[in-house]
Amino acid sequence: RLVSFAILSSLPYMELNLAPIGWRPLNILFTLAAGIFCIILIRRPGIASRLAAVVLFGMAGWLVEYGWAAIGMLICAWHFFRAPNLFWSSATIILMILRGFEDGSHWLLTAIPVMGLGYYVRIDLPRWRNALYYFYPFHLAVIVVLKIMIFGNE
């Protein structure tokens, strides 16, 4: 399902010229999918699946939005939330900092206090399991429509 919505999101993503090299990088949903597939492979027993995770990480990092740093962050954060310790939290933060240097913005670091607050502040919100799947392509499509209305079809 995630990959299906990633493909669906590619049309408005490319229309907004967010993929500067034609079709690359693939949108953030592909990044999320690559990270999840790496985690699935890491969890499987055996050296072959771990080797497959390394190969996937290497290939996908070149193809997806935010690259290796984002996939690495997903993997490190997954490890941290499974078994919190200094190593995985530090690795996640270091990758967040590196990601910030890559695009010249460190706004990603604001997620750290927000995640920390999540441990102390409980807000009961209704959950919609597929909200991200629908929201991401929809919001890109709305931005495309606004772009065309304001700037014309350039």
Side-chain angles (χ1 to χ4, degrees):
R1 180 178 25 193
L2 177 59
V3 173
S4 299
F5 278 91
I7 292 167
L8 177 68
S9 301
S10 293
L11 296 172
Y13 182 82
M14 287 188 282
E15 177 62 31
L16 290 170
N17 295 322
L18 296 174
I21 308 170
W23 55 271
R24 207 186 76 166
L26 298 173
N27 66 60
I28 195 73
L29 293 182
F30 283 107
T31 308
L32 182 59
I36 290 170
F37 289 141
C38 283
I39 290 167
I40 289 168
L41 290 169
I42 290 168
R43 291 187 68 186
R44 294 175 87 183
I47 192 75
S49 26
R50 298 237 165 81
L51 183 59
V54 170
V55 170
L56 175 61
F57 178 83
M59 289 176 26
W62 180 74
L63 295 172
V64 298
E65 190 172 29
Y66 304 119
W68 294 284
I71 298 171
M73 270 188 285
L74 289 168
I75 295 168
C76 291
W78 169 73
H79 277 291
F80 174 74
F81 285 110
R82 277 187 72 224
N85 63 48
L86 185 59
F87 176 80
W88 292 115
S89 63
S90 299
T92 304
I93 292 169
I94 288 168
L95 286 167
M96 292 171 101
I97 292 168
L98 290 174
R99 180 67 218 126
F101 282 120
E102 205 173 329
D103 68 5
S105 170
H106 292 284
W107 280 103
L108 180 59
L109 295 175
T110 60
I112 296 169
V114 171
M115 288 188 294
L117 283 174
Y119 284 110
Y120 301 106
V121 178
R122 295 285 178 220
I123 301 173
D124 291 325
L125 295 172
R127 292 195 160 224
W128 185 28
R129 184 175 182 203
N130 299 319
L132 174 68
Y133 297 135
Y134 293 104
F135 173 77
Y136 187 72
F138 178 75
H139 99 283
L140 288 178
V142 167
I143 294 170
V144 167
V145 168
L146 290 172
K147 177 186 169 194
I148 291 170
M149 287 173 54
I150 295 170
F151 300 108
N153 196 7
E154 299 174 6

